[in-house]
Structures are given as structure tokens and as C-alpha cells.
Amino acid sequence: MKKAIVLCAGKGTRLRPLTFTTAKHLIPIANKPILFYSLENIARAGIEEVGIVVSPHNAEEFKNIVGTGENFGLKISYIIQEEPKGLAHAVWVSREFLGDEDFMMYLGDNLILEDLGKFVKDFENSDCAASILLSPVKDPTRFGVAVMEGDRVIKVVEKPKIPPSNLAIVGLYLFKSKIFEGIKNIKPSWRGELEITDAIEYLIEKGEKVRGYIVYGWWKDTGKPEDLLEANRKILMETTEELLGEMDDKSSIQGPVKIGKSSKIVNSVIRGPVVIGENCFIKNSYVGPYSSIGNSVILEDCEVENSIVMDECSITGVEKRIDSSILGKGVSVKGSQKRPASLNLILGDMSRVEL
């Protein structure tokens, strides 16, 4: 198997306002876009060519940030999905790129830390029309759900109100070209989308073999803010110390911390796991565990913990600790000592503040 498609055309409505300016697949986790972790994992599985399915609105952003794929050892093409008509529709518009070859389909906003190589090899050596990764979940109504007999999938259903099992379809699929026959023979669901689960169900009903692999390792659909923070924590747990910036004698570092080039730490405590980008200035502050601080960030007279702070943010003079928060690029948070005490907020559409 040499080809994969990665689906990145979704609007990310549950992550607004962050996704008004950045595609959800490019939001940084531990200072690296979510999509980069997926591309690295795909390359490790032996895939050589990747088609990234994008919308007309975000295509240029992906091309500028991801590029041609040489940094990942991949050859990357971009496939435009004009309208968000579902996962099966995204596969359909990728027909020319895929040809008649077996292929992997990967949902670009999923973070899967499983080794995909064995999964691919088993599929190549089987007579299956499709293979899917499955994982037990507490709330199957949020996912496509599969019913198993042995290692064979006998039924799949999309976001069922009454789930027939607790096995959610993780965002990774392997297909033979027979999946196109399934897509050709299905109709849009109640959501107005062509569901990949319906195409798989069509193959099952036609007697084709679909295999399910139950995985118990860590994976995350990073569709909500709390999911991003959990993914950030998980990745930061693997942090190793790397101190490329400057730190004065009044500052201390505890635990695994990465500090990028040209960053300065003055009279501050950094308690890992923490990643700090390049050209940051941190003074009279505390940065606590599970925080990722982007490039060119200013932190002064503040405390930050368990948070994602993106590039060019500024947090100064804030008395209370900022915890479990996500700050998009260029955000400014400033405390005020003026009396009478008041709050001065300028917030974009769908912002969320807890005071």
C-alpha cells in the first residue's frame, strides 16, 4: 500500500473562534500542528503518497504550512472537495488520485498514536475489502459504531441513537477500490452527507469481508477544546529537556522543559512538562505543567498552567492563574490595576470566557 488520503476539509465548528482563522487540523499541539503527527505516523507505516482533501477556503493555508511533503518523506498532493458532503464524498472526489490501488483513509483531526505498519501489512495479506480500527468508548452515539463477530465486522452504523455496541470507529480506514462501488450505491443520510459507514455497510451486505481491529491504545478526536488540551497533555508527557534559550540565576526549571532559540526566562519558574517556542520573553511568571507556549510570546507577571498559548500572544499583569485555556494567535490578555475595577473585553464571534 503506497497511497493515503487525509481528510481536512471540515470547518471545525466546535472549535470556533479558533477555526475562523486556522484550520482545525493545523492547530498546534505541543507547538506542532495536529496534522503533522498524523503525516509522520502515515510515513512510518510505509505510505509514500498522500492526497490531502481540503476545501476551496483553506487550500492555500495547507499548501503554505504543509508544503510538498518532503519534510515528512512523503509526496503530497492537494484534492479539493468543493462542498462538505461527507466522508464518502471526500473519497469519491479522490478517485483520480487513488486509481485502482488499495489505500488508507485518515481523518485529519484525529490523533492516533498506534503503530499503523502492522495494520497495513495485515490488510495487504488479506482478502478483505476494508479494514477499520475500533476502540471501546463511553459515548458511542458520537461516532460510527461497529458490531463484530470474531474479527469480522458484520454491521456498521453512523452516530446511532441506540448504539448496537460500544466500539467506535477510530478515524483510520483501509480500503480496496471496491469501496467506490459502495459509494456509488448509497444515498445521502439525514445529515445530507454521503456516509462512509453506509458504503462499508453496502460492502458487508454484498458479502465482502470487512475486518475490525480493536485498539486499546491512546487516540483522540480533537474536535473540541477539551480534546485539544488532553492531546496537548499526552504529547507533552513525552517531552525531553532541551534548553536553547537564556535563563537568569533567579529562574528555575523543574521537570522536562523545552525552550526554543532566543527565548529569555527572567525571575520565573517553569515546571514541566512544558514546551516554549522561539523568541519568547517570560518574566516574573510561572509556567506550569502541560503548557505549550508558541513562538514570540510575552508572559509577564502571570501564571499559566495546562494551556495552549499560540504564537505572538501576550499575557501581562494577570493576578489569577490562567488554567485549562487555549489562546489563539496574537491574543492579548492584560491585567488592570485601575479603580473602579472593571473588565474590558474585545471578543470575536463564539468566544468563551470564564471569570
Side-chain angles (χ1 to χ4, degrees), residues 36-47:
F36 285 20
Y37 296 100
S38 303
L39 292 174
E40 290 165 356
N41 205 0
I42 288 169
R44 283 194 296 270
I47 302 293

Side-chain angles (χ1 to χ4, degrees), residues 111-146:
L111 196 58
I112 302 169
L113 301 185
E114 290 282 330
D115 175 10
L116 307 181
K118 181 180 183 301
F119 185 49
V120 170
K121 285 179 183 175
D122 285 354
F123 182 75
E124 289 175 330
N125 295 326
S126 76
D127 59 350
C128 295
S131 281
I132 55 179
L133 280 189
L134 305 168
S135 185
V137 296
K138 292 180 181 177
D139 182 13
T141 60
R142 292 177 49 207
F143 303 93
V145 173

Side-chain angles (χ1 to χ4, degrees), residues 4 23-24 34 84 94 128 163 268 278 290 315:
K24 63 179 177 178
I34 296 167
S94 306
C128 295
S268 297
E278 299 180 355
Y290 305 111
I315 307 173

Side-chain angles (χ1 to χ4, degrees), residues 50-213:
V50 172
I52 300 181
V53 181
V54 295
S55 78
H57 312 293
N58 64 22
E60 288 306 311
E61 182 183 16
F62 278 94
K63 290 176 183 178
N64 291 337
I65 293 174
V66 182
T68 61
E70 60 184 334
N71 292 339
F72 306 97
L74 298 167
K75 180 182 177 182
I76 290 179
S77 304
Y78 294 90
I79 301 162
I80 303 294
Q81 185 182 18
E82 295 288 349
E83 297 179 70
K85 293 182 178 179
L87 303 186
H89 180 259
V91 177
W92 188 256
V93 300
S94 306
R95 295 190 312 283
E96 187 176 335
F97 169 77
L98 293 167
D100 294 326
E101 297 184 43
D102 298 354
F103 67 96
M104 174 189 293
M105 182 177 96
Y106 197 115
L107 303 190
D109 57 355
N110 275 233
L111 196 58
I112 302 169
L113 301 185
E114 290 282 330
D115 175 10
L116 307 181
K118 181 180 183 301
F119 185 49
V120 170
K121 285 179 183 175
D122 285 354
F123 182 75
E124 289 175 330
N125 295 326
S126 76
D127 59 350
C128 295
S131 281
I132 55 179
L133 280 189
L134 305 168
S135 185
V137 296
K138 292 180 181 177
D139 182 13
T141 60
R142 292 177 49 207
F143 303 93
V145 173
V147 179
M148 300 272 288
E149 276 187 4
D151 65 355
R152 192 162 180 167
V153 177
I154 60 168
K155 186 173 183 61
V156 290
V157 58
E158 185 64 29
K159 295 182 173 65
K161 290 183 179 177
I162 304 176
S165 83
N166 70 338
L167 294 176
I169 302 175
V170 177
L172 182 77
Y173 310 72
L174 302 180
F175 292 122
K176 289 191 169 9
S177 60
K178 289 177 182 177
I179 192 65
F180 291 114
E181 179 189 339
I183 297 170
K184 199 185 299 184
N185 285 279
I186 61 174
K187 294 179 180 179
S189 66
W190 61 271
R191 300 194 298 172
E193 297 184 358
L194 290 175
E195 309 286 1
I196 197 66
T197 43
D198 289 345
I200 296 170
E201 181 67 16
Y202 175 88
L203 294 180
I204 293 170
E205 290 174 359
K206 290 293 180 181
E208 297 288 350
K209 187 183 292 185
V210 175
R211 180 177 289 177
Y213 287 85

Side-chain angles (χ1 to χ4, degrees), residues 11-20 225 349-352:
K11 292 182 178 179
T13 53
R14 292 179 296 168
L15 284 171
R16 289 176 178 168
L18 297 171
T19 48
F20 282 134
D349 295 353
M350 302 182 72
S351 293
R352 194 173 79 192

Side-chain angles (χ1 to χ4, degrees), residues 1 63 73 84 103 126 159 182 252 266 288 315 327 337 342:
M1 184 180 294
K63 290 176 183 178
F103 67 96
S126 76
K159 295 182 173 65
S252 67
V266 179
I315 307 173
L327 276 63
Q337 303 302 319
S342 63

